[in-house]
Coordinates of all heavy atoms in Angstrom, one line a residue:
S174 N -4.2 15.8 -2.3 CA -3.5 16.9 -3.2 C -4.6 17.7 -3.9 O -4.4 18.8 -4.3 CB -2.5 16.2 -4.1 OG -3.1 15.4 -5.1
R285 N -7.4 -23.8 -21.7 CA -6.4 -23.7 -20.8 C -6.4 -24.9 -19.7 O -5.3 -25.4 -19.3 CB -6.4 -22.4 -20.0 CG -5.2 -22.1 -19.1 CD -5.2 -20.6 -18.6 NE -6.3 -20.4 -17.7 CZ -7.3 -19.5 -18.0 NH1 -7.3 -18.9 -19.2 NH2 -8.4 -19.4 -17.2
M440 N -9.4 15.5 -27.5 CA -9.6 16.6 -28.3 C -10.9 17.2 -28.3 O -11.2 18.4 -28.5 CB -9.2 16.1 -29.7 CG -7.8 15.8 -30.1 SD -7.4 15.5 -31.8 CE -5.6 15.3 -31.7
R472 N -38.1 39.0 -37.6 CA -38.2 37.7 -37.7 C -37.0 37.0 -36.9 O -35.8 37.1 -37.4 CB -38.2 37.2 -39.1 CG -39.5 37.7 -39.9 CD -39.4 37.3 -41.4 NE -38.3 38.0 -42.0 CZ -37.9 37.9 -43.4 NH1 -38.7 37.1 -44.1 NH2 -36.9 38.6 -43.9
A556 N -3.0 23.9 -33.2 CA -1.9 23.8 -32.2 C -2.3 23.1 -30.9 O -1.6 22.3 -30.4 CB -1.4 25.3 -31.9
H616 N -17.1 -12.5 -9.1 CA -16.5 -13.8 -9.6 C -15.1 -13.9 -8.9 O -14.5 -12.8 -8.7 CB -16.3 -13.8 -11.1 CG -16.1 -15.1 -11.7 ND1 -14.9 -15.7 -11.6 CD2 -16.9 -16.0 -12.3 CE1 -14.9 -17.0 -12.3 NE2 -16.1 -17.1 -12.6
S633 N 3.6 -14.0 3.9 CA 4.9 -14.1 4.2 C 5.9 -14.1 3.0 O 7.0 -13.5 3.0 CB 5.1 -15.5 4.9 OG 4.3 -15.5 6.2
Q649 N 21.0 -0.2 -5.6 CA 21.0 0.8 -6.8 C 21.3 2.2 -6.4 O 21.8 2.9 -7.2 CB 19.7 0.6 -7.6 CG 19.5 -0.7 -8.3 CD 18.0 -0.9 -8.9 OE1 17.3 0.1 -8.9 NE2 17.7 -2.0 -9.3
V665 N 36.4 10.7 2.2 CA 37.7 11.6 2.2 C 37.7 12.6 3.3 O 38.8 12.7 3.9 CB 37.8 12.2 0.8 CG1 38.8 13.4 0.8 CG2 38.1 11.2 -0.3
E716 N 91.7 29.9 36.2 CA 90.8 30.7 35.5 C 90.7 30.6 34.0 O 89.7 30.7 33.3 CB 91.1 32.2 35.7 CG 91.0 32.7 37.1 CD 89.5 32.8 37.6 OE1 88.6 32.8 36.6 OE2 89.1 32.7 38.8
D792 N 33.4 62.0 -5.4 CA 32.9 62.7 -4.2 C 33.9 63.9 -4.0 O 34.7 63.8 -3.1 CB 32.9 61.8 -3.0 CG 34.1 60.9 -2.9 OD1 35.0 60.8 -3.9 OD2 34.3 60.3 -1.8
R830 N 56.1 71.7 3.0 CA 57.0 72.3 2.0 C 56.2 72.8 0.9 O 55.5 71.8 0.1 CB 58.1 71.5 1.6 CG 59.2 72.1 0.7 CD 60.2 71.1 0.2 NE 61.0 70.7 1.4 CZ 61.8 69.6 1.3 NH1 62.0 69.0 0.2 NH2 62.6 69.3 2.5

Side-chain angles (χ1 to χ4, degrees):
S174 66
R285 189 170 62 249
M440 288 183 175
R472 295 173 296 177
H616 200 281
S633 300
Q649 292 177 6
V665 170
E716 292 287 341
D792 49 349
R830 182 185 298 171

